[in-house]
Amino acid sequence: QSTPWTKGGPHIPSGQQQQAPPFSLPISSARIRGPAMRQPREITSFSYDDNRRLHFDDSSLSYFYLLQDDVTASGGIDLSAGYNVFQKRDDTIDEHLDGLLLTLVHLERTTGKKTTGDIITWRGILTKLLCLPYSKNDGFELNAVWFDRQLFIEENLPYKLATQQRSDQRSELMSYWGYKFEQIATIPKPWNDCSRKEIESRGQKPVSNVAQYCSVVKTGLGDVRMVIAGEVDCVWDYKPDPKDNIDDDPKLFDNPLEHYVELKTNRVIQSDRDASTFENKLFRVWAQSFLLGVPKAIVGFRSDQGYLQTFEEFETQKIPGIVKKSKYSNPYTTWDAVDALAFLAACLQWLKTVIPRAEEDVVWTIRYLPRSDYLTVSRTDMPPFLHPDFVQWRSEK
Ligand code: 0WD
Ligand code: CA
């Protein structure tokens, strides 16, 4: 049973000659100027603790602390240390949008104001869509549902689990290096509140990826307003207290997002091939950080044996330029931020119109098959996936 659909996606010139299937959006990095992105603003934040319990506060927020000398003096920090005691989150547990939705209930209860926005989702979902024109090898499925006149989008976890390649021992270790880097590059409190011992012993505890700090931001692209939540690795210096921002003068506003930092690890660059692979990755870092308004990424460079050798700061807004000016850049295949945003804008606008608004509680699948040229939407008979407390809260209003 499908609803009649008049047109394919929005009118984007596509290089493809293929006939568009119904309910579909051609994937294209169109050479058109996309609508403007609004400056993201943090509306609230939340934390998961080491037991994955949710707290409506900043308790899991970390602070950047790493000295170049500490890295070089030791001849490189061993990022494999403690791998045997890694406390890894069970990522087969489907959390849906729960952390975000329960945080919105808490926010709306305490402020008495309803969170407005057309689309509510995790940042990671939008990163996938933003990168899609340049990253067509991996397929995905998303679930979407209209509720209370807002469109909620989550990843379809069973699809992800069924299709993801079983990661081998080497890639398991490499992803551990990323979490180990986060551990040795951060402290749980601002440095002037930490004792020397707390700072020096920061790499001793088992590494865990269970605790997380997430920022919830309001942002917009063209006519689409969004509420997105994403994990933030740490702050550079401090997080401003919203109470200190009573003044509405935007010039005086100390924006929490401006203090955030994304952490990444990468192999040390030794060849042209390494450099070009890194630039590809850097663009994804741009996409991810840009969406949430995170201004800085710090990349730890490690050897093939997993020894951290050095680290470098990248300003999010400069990344597209770095990639574009690079000697590895190719005008036909190289990532372009403006074009990627134009695609995302078209995509979100399309989702808003193509998924029938009147049919609340119907779950739709947004599907991208590997290497295909279209994103498609179809109706499912899946049960709604929004947390019952959120549904009840919004239904009472
Ligand atoms: O589609 C998504 N993005 C999903 C997110 C699917 C299922 C769950 N989540 C959860 C995350 O666990 C987190 O609580 O959503 C929350 C926010 O995620 P996000 O910021 O939207 O996620 P994304 O931008 O994809 O990833 C950011 C970081 C990752 O760091 P790197 O440096 O690799 O980008 O979130 C972490 C990861 O550290 N992360 C996870 N950690 C453990 N298990 C997972 C996971 N399944 N997904 C993301
Ligand atoms: Ca990270």
Side-chain angles (χ1 to χ4, degrees):
Q1 283 281 312
S2 57
T3 313
W5 179 287
T6 42
K7 298 226 166 53
H11 187 70
I12 297 181
S14 153
Q16 317 297 342
Q17 292 303 307
Q18 212 178 310
Q19 186 69 39
F23 297 87
S24 70
L25 174 76
I27 315 292
S28 143
S29 52
R31 301 264 142 192
I32 51 168
R33 182 154 278 276
M37 184 88 181
R38 287 182 200 218
Q39 169 97 36
R41 285 199 57 167
E42 180 172 277
I43 55 169
T44 188
S45 51
F46 62 92
S47 297
Y48 298 102
D49 65 19
D50 284 326
N51 300 308
R52 202 68 187 169
R53 269 196 293 264
L54 187 63
H55 300 269
F56 306 119
D57 60 26
D58 297 348
S59 46
S60 293
L61 179 60
S62 301
Y63 296 78
F64 186 77
Y65 188 90
L66 188 63
L67 306 174
Q68 203 68 254
D69 280 353
D70 289 348
V71 176
T72 32
S74 59
I77 297 174
D78 182 9
L79 297 177
S80 305
Y83 182 46
N84 55 328
V85 289
F86 179 33
Q87 294 177 336
K88 192 171 180 286
R89 184 170 96 84
D90 180 357
D91 52 20
T92 62
I93 298 172
D94 200 342
E95 295 183 335
H96 302 281
L97 297 176
D98 295 357
L100 167 57
L101 299 185
L102 293 174
T103 300
L104 292 181
V105 172
H106 176 79
L107 177 73
E108 294 178 7
R109 233 186 219 133
T110 45
T111 60
K113 276 189 280 194
K114 181 171 149 177
T115 316
T116 53
D118 306 310
I119 292 182
I120 302 190
T121 191
W122 293 119
R123 176 266 314 267
I125 307 270
L126 297 186
T127 310
K128 272 190 215 299
L129 297 174
L130 183 53
C131 294
L132 185 56
Y134 302 100
S135 172
K136 296 169 80 174
N137 285 333
D138 298 319
F140 55 80
E141 279 192 14
L142 310 176
N143 303 326
V145 68
W146 281 105
F147 172 66
D148 201 16
R149 299 163 72 202
Q150 296 177 316
L151 186 64
F152 296 81
I153 308 176
E154 66 161 16
E155 176 139 37
N156 185 317
L157 189 66
Y159 177 90
K160 183 181 174 181
L161 295 176
T163 53
Q164 79 187 2
Q165 287 163 334
R166 283 235 349 108
S167 58
D168 52 61
Q169 282 183 358
R170 173 91 184 153
S171 45
E172 288 282 324
L173 178 62
M174 285 168 65
S175 78
Y176 177 77
W177 292 342
Y179 294 116
K180 182 70 189 173
F181 176 61
E182 287 179 12
Q183 185 199 43
I184 58 148
T186 63
I187 47 181
K189 289 180 284 185
W191 71 270
N192 48 341
D193 295 340
C194 272
S195 68
R196 220 187 149 72
K197 189 158 174 279
E198 282 175 301
I199 292 177
E200 283 168 358
S201 65
R202 68 189 185 280
Q204 318 266 290
K205 280 205 297 182
V207 174
S208 162
N209 69 352
V210 177
Q212 280 183 321
Y213 167 79
C214 294
S215 172
V216 184
V217 311
K218 248 173 111 157
T219 182
L221 184 59
D223 294 335
V224 184
R225 289 174 316 142
M226 298 175 276
V227 176
I228 61 180
E231 190 202 22
V232 174
D233 293 326
C234 59
V235 296
W236 175 245
D237 39 15
Y238 64 94
K239 178 176 172 181
D241 187 332
K243 288 197 286 293
D244 296 339
N245 273 323
I246 32 178
D247 208 314
D248 276 343
D249 184 344
K251 285 199 285 293
L252 296 175
F253 180 71
D254 193 357
N255 182 353
L257 299 176
E258 283 297 316
H259 297 261
Y260 290 158
V261 178
E262 170 64 33
L263 299 176
K264 281 280 182 292
T265 50
N266 196 77
R267 181 184 190 182
V268 284
I269 312 288
Q270 285 165 327
S271 64
D272 280 8
R273 201 192 145 90
D274 290 343
S276 126
T277 309
F278 175 60
E279 284 175 6
N280 216 7
K281 177 158 166 182
L282 208 50
F283 198 89
R284 287 172 187 286
V285 176
W286 168 79
Q288 180 185 36
S289 303
F290 178 83
L291 285 167
L292 216 57
V294 174
K296 197 199 293 272
I298 295 178
V299 181
F301 290 96
R302 47 100 193 142
S303 68
D304 281 338
Q305 290 72 40
Y307 281 80
L308 180 68
Q309 317 256 279
T310 184
F311 62 90
E312 205 177 316
E313 277 178 55
F314 292 87
E315 273 179 62
T316 305
Q317 60 167 11
K318 291 196 177 150
I319 292 177
I322 294 173
V323 175
K324 198 149 237 175
K325 282 203 288 290
S326 151
K327 62 173 173 162
Y328 312 104
S329 143
N330 167 334
Y332 297 102
T333 57
T334 298
W335 301 72
D336 181 288
V338 174
D339 294 345
L341 282 167
F343 172 73
L344 180 65
C347 181
L348 297 176
Q349 188 60 48
W350 173 71
L351 290 173
K352 249 178 77 174
T353 47
V354 89
I355 301 179
R357 223 173 246 267
E359 299 191 62
E360 295 208 340
D361 296 339
V362 176
V363 177
W364 301 77
T365 295
I366 303 161
R367 183 176 290 117
Y368 178 71
L369 292 172
R371 285 170 294 280
S372 62
D373 294 321
Y374 296 94
L375 205 55
T376 60
V377 163
S378 52
R379 193 191 177 98
T380 74
D381 48 22
M382 272 188 260
F385 54 83
L386 304 181
H387 194 286
D389 291 1
F390 178 79
V391 173
Q392 193 190 352
W393 166 251
R394 284 287 186 91
S395 306
E396 281 167 9
K397 311 232 87 194

